[in-house]
Amino acid sequence: MPFPKTLTELKAAGYVYDGQSPCRACGVTIHWWITPNNKSMPMDVSQDDNVTSHWSTCPKAKDFKTK
């Protein structure tokens, strides 16, 4: 199944909105979602409700990878 691309698709796929906060690394506001597997996932949401994983856009994402 392809990753959801809009807020509507996220909700239909079973993701649950869990609030927003600034990214600790880059400061951008991120929207937190709980995945169908009960994991927290940071998302970027555009003006037209398109969503992207913040891990793919954050310039400091590598700082959060576990070894």
Side-chain angles (χ1 to χ4, degrees):
M1 172 191 277
F3 188 78
K5 294 182 175 149
T6 66
L7 289 176
T8 302
E9 290 176 5
L10 268 181
K11 293 174 188 173
Y15 288 72
V16 177
Y17 181 70
D18 194 37
Q20 56 184 311
S21 67
C23 175
R24 290 181 298 177
C26 71
V28 170
T29 299
I30 51 178
H31 298 252
W32 288 96
W33 289 80
I34 305 298
T35 70
N37 293 328
N38 206 32
K39 304 282 184 183
S40 293
M41 182 170 206
M43 305 291 280
D44 295 326
V45 179
S46 69
Q47 295 282 347
D48 56 357
D49 289 342
N50 287 325
V51 294
T52 307
S53 169
H54 185 66
W55 294 319
S56 69
T57 63
C58 182
K60 297 184 179 186
K62 67 180 177 356
D63 295 346
F64 292 94
K65 296 217 185 236
T66 54
K67 296 178 182 184

